[in-house]
Amino acid sequence: MSLLDQIVARAKADKQRIVLPEAEEERTLKAADKVLANDLADLILIGNPENIKKEATEWGLTHLDKATIIDPLHCEKTEEYAALLAELRKKKGMTVEQARELVTKNNLYLGCMIIKTGDADGQISGALSTTGDTLRPALQIIKCAPGITCVSGAMLLITKEKEMGKDGVVVMSDVAVTPNPTADQLAQFAYCTAQTAKSLAGIDDPGVAILSFSTKGSAKDAKDKTTGKSVYIIDKVIEATQLAKEKYPELHVDGELQADAALVPSVAHTKAKGSDVAGKANVLIVPNLEVGNIGYKLVQRLGGAIAIGPILQGIARPVNDLSRGCSVDDIYYMVAITSCQAQDAKANEAK
């Protein structure tokens, strides 16, 4: 069974309620029909019911009657959602009138309010919206998970190189959200990505490598020519590694490591003797967003890896982002991923 098949099977075993706030968009609606046909999740579609019905007929979609369809202009809980949103944002000066405007005219805000009040477990958008549009209501309404202060995006990379990672599977972060993370944020990324590796990639004991262009002091930070101070590239990774070990003592983490030292046993033996992560890492934390975004796309395009994500991490309930170039299958599998994340969020809350 492939990794994606395993994720789908897990989602089906404990169905979650997932909101699709862009439900009038063609790919989203076709994916919704496939989700419902395969009994993958319970769906809440936000959109004009007449438009959805018309599009379903036009595209031959026959399972959408299984979904809950919410018309944002005629939602029976509008006033409840508006009052709660105004309360959540009162320190920012939001009025009930402004909140009502958001929940009736911005489907992403409405979807997050549905989750906040316990009527749904997760949300997926991005076929029509930017990452910022997706994250803004999530962070304002649902907020970060306990003990986490920042959001990151992980990518599951499934390669043909079975000796790398866990049977060719590597999880990389951050590839989507934070341009220049601090050492503390990198430490949090390490923890969150290890949890994603356990949950979605079947990696029971994640080995987390925090990457740099240096391995164990093989290079030193450059100095700013004007101030003479460190430019804080390698030093940030070293500090992040120490913070991760202190904050998450159960985490199997090491750094700073170059990518080859993290992944290849023979290189690790030469460059990082004594490391219990080097040479067998399956979770890679990159020092900034440039590296993450460029790196996973090179692995995908030049190395032929399957790239799944980005999977947003660190939010109290899962809210995931799609590429605006996504396919029907991309949305379908992201419903499965979001469902698994929702299962984990509930389990963690119950502890």
Side-chain angles (χ1 to χ4, degrees), residues 49-75:
E50 291 303 315
N51 289 346
I52 291 173
K53 183 178 178 180
K54 178 182 177 183
E55 290 167 347
T57 300
E58 179 182 346
W59 298 324
L61 309 179
T62 59
H63 298 88
L64 295 178
D65 57 342
K66 299 177 185 177
T68 298
I69 299 176
I70 294 179
D71 184 345
L73 297 178
H74 301 94
C75 176

Side-chain angles (χ1 to χ4, degrees), residues 11-30:
K12 286 184 175 183
D14 181 12
K15 289 199 303 178
Q16 302 294 301
R17 301 161 299 172
I18 306 301
V19 183
L20 299 179
E22 300 168 330
E24 295 180 49
E25 193 274 333
E26 181 175 356
R27 293 161 297 170
T28 302
L29 206 55
K30 288 180 176 178

Side-chain angles (χ1 to χ4, degrees), residues 79-342:
E79 293 308 314
E80 175 188 342
Y81 294 150
L84 177 55
L85 178 56
E87 177 65 22
L88 290 170
R89 301 294 292 164
K90 66 181 180 180
K91 290 183 179 180
K92 298 295 183 180
M94 182 175 287
T95 64
V96 172
E97 290 75 19
Q98 290 170 328
R100 187 183 298 113
E101 179 88 357
L102 282 174
V103 298
T104 56
K105 295 186 178 180
N106 188 317
N107 292 359
L108 279 66
Y109 272 86
L110 176 56
C112 285
M113 290 307 304
I114 295 171
I115 295 169
K116 185 69 174 180
T117 54
D119 293 328
D121 304 308
Q123 176 167 287
I124 302 165
S125 60
L128 297 173
S129 311
T130 66
T131 299
D133 291 336
T134 293
L135 277 175
R136 195 171 301 109
L139 293 176
Q140 291 177 4
I141 296 166
I142 302 172
K143 305 186 185 301
C144 287
I148 301 299
T149 63
C150 54
V151 176
S152 55
M155 190 68 67
L156 303 185
L157 296 172
I158 305 172
T159 79
K160 299 173 184 176
E161 305 298 324
K162 297 298 183 181
E163 70 277 12
M164 299 294 175
K166 183 191 175 182
D167 297 325
V169 177
V170 175
V171 189
M172 179 185 288
S173 179
D174 173 28
V175 302
V177 181
T178 306
N180 189 24
T182 65
D184 182 67
Q185 287 174 324
L186 285 177
Q188 292 185 51
F189 296 171
Y191 173 78
C192 290
T193 310
Q195 301 313 303
T196 295
K198 288 181 182 180
S199 172
L200 298 175
I203 299 174
D204 297 328
D205 183 21
V208 184
I210 305 183
L211 301 183
S212 180
F213 63 87
S214 168
T215 296
K216 300 298 183 181
S218 64
K220 301 294 182 184
D221 259 340
K223 302 291 184 180
D224 184 281
K225 292 182 179 179
T226 302
T227 65
K229 294 181 179 179
S230 165
V231 295
Y232 196 55
I233 299 173
I234 301 172
D235 289 349
K236 179 175 73 171
V237 171
I238 295 170
E239 182 183 349
T241 303
Q242 186 60 39
L243 285 171
K245 290 179 177 181
E246 292 172 359
K247 293 178 69 171
Y248 314 108
E250 75 285 4
L251 193 62
H252 199 195
V253 60
D254 199 10
E256 85 278 22
L257 294 171
Q258 291 165 285
D260 56 354
L263 293 168
V264 182
S266 60
V267 177
H269 180 73
T270 301
K271 293 186 175 182
K273 288 182 180 179
S275 171
D276 59 355
V277 171
K280 50 190 175 184
N282 42 46
V283 173
L284 305 178
I285 306 302
V286 297
N288 60 49
L289 185 56
E290 264 188 327
V291 175
N293 189 271
I294 294 169
Y296 95 75
K297 289 180 178 178
L298 285 175
V299 172
Q300 180 185 30
R301 300 300 181 182
L302 296 181
I306 297 170
I308 303 169
I311 300 160
L312 297 185
Q313 312 172 131
I315 308 172
R317 282 290 187 272
V319 174
N320 273 310
D321 183 33
L322 298 162
S323 165
R324 276 171 282 178
C326 63
S327 67
V328 170
D329 280 348
D330 290 336
I331 302 170
Y332 177 84
Y333 287 118
M334 191 57 76
V335 170
I337 286 168
T338 305
S339 295
C340 293
Q341 289 180 298

